[in-house]
Amino acid sequence: MIQQCSVQTNMQGEELREHGTNLFPVACYFDQLPHDDIPWHWHNELEFGLVAKGSVVVETAVAEYTLQEGEGFFVNSNVLHTAFSPDNVLGELHSVVCHPRAISGSTDNIIWQKYLKPLMENQSCTGFHLRAGVDWQKRVLDCLSSLWREAEQEPYGYEIRIRNELSTIMSLLSEYQPVINKKTYGKAQRDNARIKEMLTYIQTNYDKELTIENIASACAISTSECIRCFRATINTTPIAYLKSYRLQQAALKLQLTTDKVSAIAENCGFQEMSYFAKSFREAYGCTPSEYRSGK
């Protein structure tokens, strides 16, 4: 049941991959960072994670968590998020992605109406940084560890025990979710809609020559508002995000194709091979050829 994560998105930045199966919509992923750094994306499912080794940074549009070994996170449904290794330090991440019906079964019962729906619609709850020093969060971390062992070993009845652990986790998250902040709700919702439009534009046109003006025009705002929106939601600039996304796509092509490195660089929007090689080494700590060979 344990898989290696490989995030692929549609033109709106929404993840395409089906997590688990229709009969059991739960998936567990093992990631080694920085090799498997996860780009900005979102999905309908709920996501939980536990750092098994080193440290990992998880970002949402409104928060950044630097997680140490033994700590974890929760990311709510339809929330933009990314995960990466700080300073290219090795980190191992165990993540669990599940559809809410894996817990509630349907939307016509008390589990959905009382616990899941209010949490998933709470715009003030994009996620949690889970620490062992907080009693209820330690219980969530223990549940995640137990869930992971079940998924790894797959003994008879593991699906029932995984569902039980998820139910306990969701009960705790529902109980301790923050109160909706109505003052910032409208502004955050507007910024979130804008950033998704601009990320969609970049992800569709990253192979072309792009400027901040091009990116801002995707949702008919000024360049200054474009820069503010990027800073406010994903804590970076439009050009920095564009460069990072191009490098992530290049890394994916190095893994999945046999194309020449120079062709990959050009197809990912890099006009100069020397600049591509330098940027790739800064991002991944090795040359493109070394990355492809797994050295």
Side-chain angles (χ1 to χ4, degrees):
M1 185 175 172
I2 308 297
Q3 308 170 58
Q4 187 173 16
C5 187
S6 177
V7 176
Q8 296 185 22
T9 63
N10 63 17
M11 291 178 64
Q12 286 72 47
E14 183 178 9
E15 189 173 4
L16 292 169
R17 185 172 187 165
E18 181 179 2
H19 301 287
T21 66
N22 187 54
L23 292 176
F24 190 58
V26 180
C28 297
Y29 300 108
F30 172 81
D31 297 294
Q32 285 189 313
L33 304 144
H35 189 272
D36 299 321
D37 281 353
I38 300 166
W40 284 100
H41 68 289
W42 69 91
H43 40 67
N44 294 328
E45 295 85 355
L46 305 161
E47 183 168 349
F48 316 89
L50 183 66
V51 177
K53 182 184 293 184
S55 61
V56 174
V57 175
V58 175
E59 279 191 57
T60 70
V62 297
E64 177 180 311
Y65 314 125
T66 300
L67 283 62
Q68 305 303 325
E69 185 173 331
E71 296 182 340
F73 69 89
F74 162 66
V75 173
N76 211 341
S77 173
N78 288 314
V79 170
L80 273 166
H81 60 285
T82 182
F84 57 91
S85 170
D87 303 318
N88 286 323
V89 176
L90 177 65
E92 292 185 4
L93 179 64
H94 295 172
S95 58
V96 181
V97 181
C98 77
H99 194 280
R101 75 171 184 275
I103 303 166
S104 67
S106 66
T107 60
D108 59 355
N109 58 53
I110 192 66
I111 304 301
W112 168 259
Q113 293 175 8
K114 183 177 179 180
Y115 302 100
L116 287 170
K117 186 173 184 288
L119 176 66
M120 293 171 63
E121 293 180 353
N122 185 348
Q123 296 293 321
S124 295
C125 185
T126 57
F128 279 107
H129 180 175
L130 303 169
R131 301 177 176 89
V134 181
D135 288 345
W136 75 267
Q137 294 181 9
K138 183 179 186 304
R139 290 176 62 193
V140 173
L141 293 171
D142 290 343
C143 287
L144 286 173
S145 296
S146 176
L147 185 159
W148 188 265
R149 288 193 297 272
E150 293 289 338
E152 200 168 35
Q153 298 168 16
E154 296 189 12
Y156 182 80
Y158 76 94
E159 297 96 337
I160 294 174
R161 288 186 289 276
I162 285 176
R163 184 181 182 184
N164 289 341
E165 299 293 4
L166 287 170
S167 296
T168 299
I169 290 171
M170 293 310 298
S171 172
L172 290 164
L173 293 175
S174 176
E175 181 178 359
Y176 290 97
Q177 65 181 299
V179 176
I180 295 175
N181 186 340
K182 294 182 179 179
K183 290 183 179 179
T184 61
Y185 176 79
K187 185 174 185 297
Q189 194 175 41
R190 182 197 65 195
D191 282 351
N192 193 54
R194 283 178 171 177
I195 198 67
K196 285 183 176 181
E197 283 189 63
M198 290 187 285
L199 294 187
T200 296
Y201 179 80
I202 289 174
Q203 292 165 7
T204 305
N205 298 282
Y206 72 93
D207 57 333
K208 305 178 179 67
E209 185 176 347
L210 296 181
T211 64
I212 295 179
E213 288 77 12
N214 298 144
I215 297 168
S217 68
C219 54
I221 59 176
S222 67
T223 56
S224 60
E225 180 63 8
C226 169
I227 293 170
R228 186 207 63 78
C229 190
F230 267 81
R231 285 290 192 192
T233 53
I234 61 174
N235 195 33
T236 189
T237 66
I239 298 304
Y241 174 82
L242 171 62
K243 178 181 176 182
S244 175
Y245 187 79
R246 283 171 167 169
L247 289 170
Q248 288 168 346
Q249 293 306 301
L252 190 62
K253 292 177 189 295
L254 286 166
Q255 289 180 304
L256 301 180
T257 75
T258 57
D259 296 348
K260 292 183 178 179
V261 174
S262 58
I264 289 175
E266 184 176 352
N267 290 337
C268 289
F270 291 95
Q271 303 304 314
E272 296 181 9
M273 185 60 196
S274 59
Y275 177 66
F276 169 68
K278 179 176 180 292
S279 299
F280 195 94
R281 180 182 284 277
E282 289 174 351
Y284 292 95
C286 62
T287 67
S289 297
E290 290 171 340
Y291 184 89
R292 168 173 271 170
S293 64
K295 294 182 179 179

